[in-house]
């Protein structure tokens, strides 16, 4: 028999709050957009039509009168194009504006007759019409859902709880936007520096007309143009060799040993690519921050309609799933979103004051029944008996519809006398079958987790410490990443100092850490705890501070009571190991360590000597990378 929902005290249910019952919820769910308007179809149609149009559109050749330099208007259109692809999924109103801007830019650039005179242009127009119809349909469906939710809530309205009124959203998005837009600004400045340097030098150089004598490729596949002018032969790299056939005339500028094609004066493509990526990501983050802040302010603006519902936290993804008030079994979810706790300032002060080792009556906190119950729940999780989160009665504040912001009040569990306030941090989504099935039920494991008793049967007490080290799959992953690291260093240093060195600075520390961990990770269990050897150091984790041992994302995580978790990643490739019919080694290690944690009688009797604790290889790998980089520079 399932557990009854955790009740919400009557004093936390505002007068006039209506129950959101199954008939009303079914009407609300029936108002979702049709399948043809799913964002995935709009995204794919727009992407295909853009690729076709870009490939089919005539390319203006590079000439002396119209050289191929920096194209800021074209870059701006590319930014709008990529943002529109993103907004089609996340921001329907902005996606409509983006589609209008793209269509206008295309017509202004080529003219109406030219654009719609080619099949790709007509296909793009048809794609715009289809996508716009889907976006309007999604907005209309959200409006219908809003009306149905207001009808179900009735006339009663009440302000948000105090904690929700102080909840803030969008700060991280604004920080990311500032950093990414700064990167885009830096790229723009660097590209302009390249253009200005050329203009300054070309102004004092000699302008000559030459004849193309040969067109060839070097060992790296770069097209090289040979031009004979004023009795000398000059070689130029070109991105568009088709614009310069052999025996054609080209204009060049010469200043001593420096020479440049007037039609292709410089190459700022790398900086333009940085501007494109930084602008798209930065503007997307900025819009997300503004949207989250605006919706949160709208939620706090005045009294809100309320609905009594049931909620449950997702077992795997942490989503909040909302059910009808008369669905005590939680059989049919209505909507879902991610949420975070909102705390009142007074509550935070009270929490700080209560962090003492003893209760007010002087008794030890360790004898508190609540603390004992919490330890029992932790033990259940460690044994693999993690129970599904309970259904909870809740009051939902705000008008739920696709894309809305809401807040709710509930109790976390039946043993908690206090209520908690949570605010959504992602938009509300209807819980309807989609292209990818999703639900609040727990996903089935591909290999069922064995209980601690099953693991303990195969383990006998030992005197010597137990040691688990990197195995074949883990070392294969490490060697593969090492090859990527070596190739990345070679590619970054191949052309001498350039902006690509920034990617080396950003990516190399992660690669070194991953390679060192995958090749030589080690866990040693002895009498007093674990020695965990990662890329950079060996950490001591006593048994009495370990709260959890988990395997996720091809890594091992050891949770600690006070400090942050100790993590090893990667420790293999679980997906491939399962496909080959083998049990992932890291999962086996986690199960055996968990058995030692919960069965002290299985722990080794001796302490591990220094030689068996492992040695991190991150520092030697850094030295090896430096030597490899020096060798590359000497060889090039």
């Amino acid at each position: 028999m399932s557990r009854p929902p955790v009740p919400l005290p009557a004093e936390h249910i505002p007068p006039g709050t209506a129950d959101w019952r199954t008939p009303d919820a079914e009407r609300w769910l029936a108002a979702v957009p049709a399948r043809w308007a799913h964002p995935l179809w709009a995204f794919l149609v727009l992407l295909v039509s853009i690729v076709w149009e870009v490939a089919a559109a005539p390319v203006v050749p590079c000439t002396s009168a119209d050289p191929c330099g920096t194209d800021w208007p074209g870059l701006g259109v590319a930014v709008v194009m990529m943002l529109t692809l993103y907004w089609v999924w996340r921001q329907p109103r902005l996606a409509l504006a983006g589609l209008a801007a793209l269509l206008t830019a295309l017509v202004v650039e080529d003219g109406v007759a030219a654009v719609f005179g080619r099949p790709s242009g007509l296909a793009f127009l048809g794609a715009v019409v289809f996508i716009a119809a889907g976006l309007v349909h999604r907005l209309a469906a959200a409006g219908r859902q809003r009306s149905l939710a207001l009808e179900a809530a009735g006339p009663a309205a009440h302000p948000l709880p105090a904690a929700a009124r102080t909840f803030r959203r969008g700060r991280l998005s604004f920080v990311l936007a500032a950093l990414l837009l700064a990167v885009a600004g830096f790229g723009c400045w660097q590209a302009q520096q390249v253009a200005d340097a050329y203009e300054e030098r070309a102004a004092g150089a000699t302008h000559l007309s030459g004849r193309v004598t040969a067109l060839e490729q070097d060992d790296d596949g770069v097209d090289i143009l040979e031009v004979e002018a004023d009795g000398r032969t000059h070689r130029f790299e070109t991105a568009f060799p088709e614009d310069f056939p052999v025996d054609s005339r080209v204009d060049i500028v010469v200043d001593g040993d420096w020479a440049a094609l007037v039609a292709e004066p410089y190459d700022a493509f790398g900086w333009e690519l940085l501007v494109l990526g930084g602008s798209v990501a930065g503007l997307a983050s900025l819009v997300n921050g503004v949207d989250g802040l605006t919706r949160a302010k709208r939620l706090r603006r005045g009294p809100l309609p309320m609905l009594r519902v049931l909620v449950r936290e997702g077992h795997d993804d942490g989503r909040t799933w909302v059910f009808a008030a008369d669905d005590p079994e939680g059989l049919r979810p209505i909507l879902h979103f991610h949420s975070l706790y909102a705390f009142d300032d007074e509550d935070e002060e009270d929490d700080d004051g209560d962090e003492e080792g003893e209760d007010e009556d002087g008794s030890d906190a360790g004898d508190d029944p609540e603390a004992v119950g919490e330890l029992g729940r932790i033990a259940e999780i460690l044994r693999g008996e993690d129970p599904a989160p309970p259904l909870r009665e809740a009051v939902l504040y705000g008008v739920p519809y696709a894309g809305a912001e809401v807040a709710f009040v509930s109790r976390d569990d039946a043993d908690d006398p206090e209520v908690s306030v949570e605010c959504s941090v992602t938009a509300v989504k209807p819980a309807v079958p989609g292209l990818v099935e999703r639900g609040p039920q727990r996903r089935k494991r591909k290999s069922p987790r064995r209980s601690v008793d099953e693991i303990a049967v195969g383990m006998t007490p030992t005197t010597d410490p137990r040691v688990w080290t990197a195995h074949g799959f883990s070392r294969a992953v490490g060697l593969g990443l090492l090859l990527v690291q070596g190739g990345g260093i070679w590619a970054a240093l191949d052309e001498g100092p350039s902006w690509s060195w920034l990617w080396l600075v950003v990516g190399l520390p992660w690669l070194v850490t991953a390679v060192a961990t995958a090749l030589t990770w080690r866990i040693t269990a002895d009498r007093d705890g674990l020695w965990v050897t990662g890329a950079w150091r060996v950490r001591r984790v006593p048994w009495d501070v370990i709260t959890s041992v988990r395997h996720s994302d091809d890594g091992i995580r050891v949770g600690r009571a006070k400090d942050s978790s100790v993590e090893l990643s990667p420790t293999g490739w679980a997906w491939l190991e399962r496909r080959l019919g083998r049990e992932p080694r890291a999962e086996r290690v986690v199960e055996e360590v968990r058995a030692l944690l919960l069965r002290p009688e299985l722990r080794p009797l001796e302490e591990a000597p220094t030689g068996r604790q492992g040695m991190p290889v991150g520092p030697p790998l850094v030295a090896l990378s430096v030597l490899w980089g020096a060798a590359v520079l000497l060889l090039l």
Side-chain angles (χ1 to χ4, degrees):
M1 182 179 296
S2 61
R3 292 175 293 174
V6 177
L8 182 66
E11 60 269 21
H12 293 283
I13 303 176
T17 302
D19 290 348
W20 201 2
R21 297 192 174 276
T22 298
D24 294 329
E26 290 178 346
R27 291 173 57 205
W28 187 90
L29 283 170
V32 299
R35 282 182 174 269
W36 66 267
H38 193 280
L40 177 61
W41 307 132
F43 177 87
L44 293 177
V45 168
L46 181 59
L47 180 62
V48 171
S49 63
I50 286 176
V51 171
W52 188 10
E53 174 59 21
V54 170
V59 179
V60 179
C62 301
T63 63
S64 299
D66 187 16
C68 294
T70 51
D71 183 14
W72 298 122
L75 189 63
V77 173
V79 170
V80 174
M81 191 181 301
M82 296 186 69
L83 284 173
T84 303
L85 282 167
Y86 173 69
W87 286 337
V88 158
W89 207 290
R90 293 291 301 273
Q91 302 285 349
R93 289 183 174 83
L94 289 177
L96 287 171
L99 289 174
L102 289 177
L103 194 58
T104 302
L106 188 61
V107 170
V108 169
E109 178 70 20
D110 297 336
V112 177
V115 171
F116 302 124
R118 55 180 182 260
S120 61
L122 290 174
F124 182 75
L125 178 61
V128 168
V129 173
F130 170 77
I131 296 166
L135 294 171
V136 172
H137 176 69
R138 286 164 57 190
L139 292 172
R144 290 195 299 272
Q145 286 184 323
R146 178 181 173 84
S147 299
L148 291 171
L150 285 171
E151 181 182 339
H158 197 273
L160 276 176
R165 290 197 294 271
T166 60
F167 187 79
R168 295 291 180 266
R169 277 200 59 192
R171 295 176 183 175
L172 179 59
S173 295
F174 287 126
V175 173
L176 288 176
L179 292 174
L180 292 167
L181 291 176
V183 169
F186 174 74
C188 183
W189 175 69
Q190 286 291 333
Q192 195 60 47
Q193 289 287 102
V194 172
D196 292 343
Y198 165 78
E199 296 293 344
E200 182 179 351
R201 190 157 190 178
T206 302
H207 289 250
L208 300 173
S209 177
R211 184 177 64 88
V212 178
T213 59
L215 180 63
E216 58 187 26
Q217 286 188 342
D218 62 9
D219 296 337
D220 296 328
V222 177
D223 292 301
I224 304 295
L225 202 66
E226 287 191 0
V227 178
E228 184 177 331
D230 197 24
R232 295 178 58 188
T233 299
H234 303 274
R235 293 169 60 86
F236 305 98
E237 292 184 3
T238 176
F240 305 99
E242 64 275 7
D243 294 341
F244 309 103
V246 176
D247 291 331
S248 63
R249 306 293 298 185
V250 295
D251 295 324
I252 64 174
V253 288
V254 180
D255 183 14
D257 294 334
W258 175 83
L261 280 171
V262 174
E264 288 187 41
Y266 51 84
D267 181 14
F269 178 75
W271 294 116
E272 290 177 318
L273 194 62
L274 184 65
V275 173
L276 177 65
S279 298
V280 171
L283 290 174
S285 296
L286 179 63
V287 169
N288 287 343
V290 171
D291 181 66
L293 185 63
T294 303
R295 291 178 184 273
K297 284 185 176 180
R298 191 180 304 147
L299 194 65
R300 299 192 302 266
R301 188 172 296 166
L304 298 170
M306 302 149 300
L307 289 165
R308 287 188 64 181
V309 295
L310 298 175
V311 299
R312 171 185 285 159
E313 183 180 353
H315 204 296
D316 289 333
D317 57 10
R319 291 176 180 271
T320 296
W321 295 84
V322 177
F323 303 82
D326 57 353
D327 183 12
E329 301 293 329
L331 301 177
R332 182 66 176 94
I334 306 172
L335 56 91
H336 59 86
F337 52 85
H338 283 101
S339 61
L340 289 177
Y341 286 100
F343 298 100
D344 199 353
D345 294 337
E346 295 180 0
D347 293 339
E348 293 179 359
E349 293 176 2
D350 292 343
D351 291 342
D352 293 340
D354 290 341
E355 291 180 355
E356 300 292 340
E358 297 183 352
D359 298 331
E360 292 182 1
D361 60 358
S363 61
D364 190 345
D367 296 331
D368 187 358
E370 293 184 7
V372 174
E374 185 65 26
L375 290 175
R377 282 190 288 271
I378 293 175
E380 286 181 352
I381 295 174
L382 291 173
R383 295 190 192 102
E385 302 169 0
D386 192 0
L391 274 172
R392 298 173 284 157
E393 293 182 357
V395 173
L396 192 70
Y397 287 82
V399 185
Y401 59 90
E405 299 281 332
V406 293
F408 66 92
V409 176
S410 67
R411 292 167 62 197
D412 289 339
D413 54 58
D415 297 329
D416 189 354
E418 299 295 331
V419 300
S420 59
V421 179
E422 297 185 48
C423 296
S424 62
V425 292
T426 58
V428 165
K429 292 184 179 180
V432 294
L435 301 180
V436 178
E437 292 296 331
R438 171 183 284 152
Q441 67 275 8
R442 187 174 186 173
R443 293 193 296 266
K444 295 182 180 179
R445 291 172 54 91
K446 296 179 180 179
S447 56
R449 178 186 292 173
R450 291 174 294 181
S451 67
V452 174
D453 293 333
E454 291 180 74
I455 300 298
V457 168
M459 300 176 65
T460 56
T462 62
T463 301
D464 295 334
R466 293 180 182 269
V467 179
W468 300 271
T469 60
H471 57 302
F473 279 96
S474 182
R475 293 193 177 100
V477 170
L479 290 175
L481 292 175
L482 185 61
L483 292 176
V484 172
Q485 177 184 324
I489 293 174
W490 183 288
L493 302 180
D494 187 25
E495 298 181 358
S498 68
W499 66 271
S500 61
W501 286 25
L502 294 175
W503 301 113
L504 192 64
V505 172
V506 173
L508 191 58
W510 178 86
L511 271 174
V512 171
T513 301
V515 169
T517 303
L519 289 176
T520 61
W521 66 266
R522 185 186 187 99
I523 296 178
T524 303
D526 64 10
R527 177 187 60 199
D528 300 320
L530 301 178
W531 295 96
V532 183
T533 304
W536 305 103
R537 57 175 171 162
V538 180
R539 298 187 184 183
R540 181 59 160 166
V541 188
W543 292 116
D544 56 0
V545 304
I546 298 176
T547 59
S548 64
V549 185
R550 294 182 179 274
H551 174 263
S552 63
D553 299 327
D554 288 319
I556 296 174
R557 177 179 299 176
V558 180
R560 295 187 289 182
K562 296 181 179 179
D563 300 321
S564 59
S565 301
V566 177
E567 299 185 31
L568 296 174
S569 180
T571 55
W573 193 355
W575 179 85
L576 182 59
E577 292 177 66
R578 291 193 186 97
R579 292 301 180 276
L580 296 177
R582 301 186 180 185
E583 180 185 14
R585 166 78 172 185
E587 286 189 1
R588 179 71 180 185
V589 171
V590 166
E591 290 176 340
E592 292 183 358
V593 172
R594 188 184 293 120
L596 294 180
L597 178 63
L598 297 174
R599 298 286 190 273
E601 66 275 9
L602 297 177
R603 297 173 188 172
L605 302 179
E606 294 183 356
E607 186 176 354
T610 304
R612 302 196 66 180
Q613 294 171 11
M615 183 184 72
V617 298
L621 194 57
V622 170
L624 181 62
S625 301
V626 172
L627 291 175
W628 172 245
V632 170
L633 290 174
L634 292 175
L635 291 172
L636 296 177

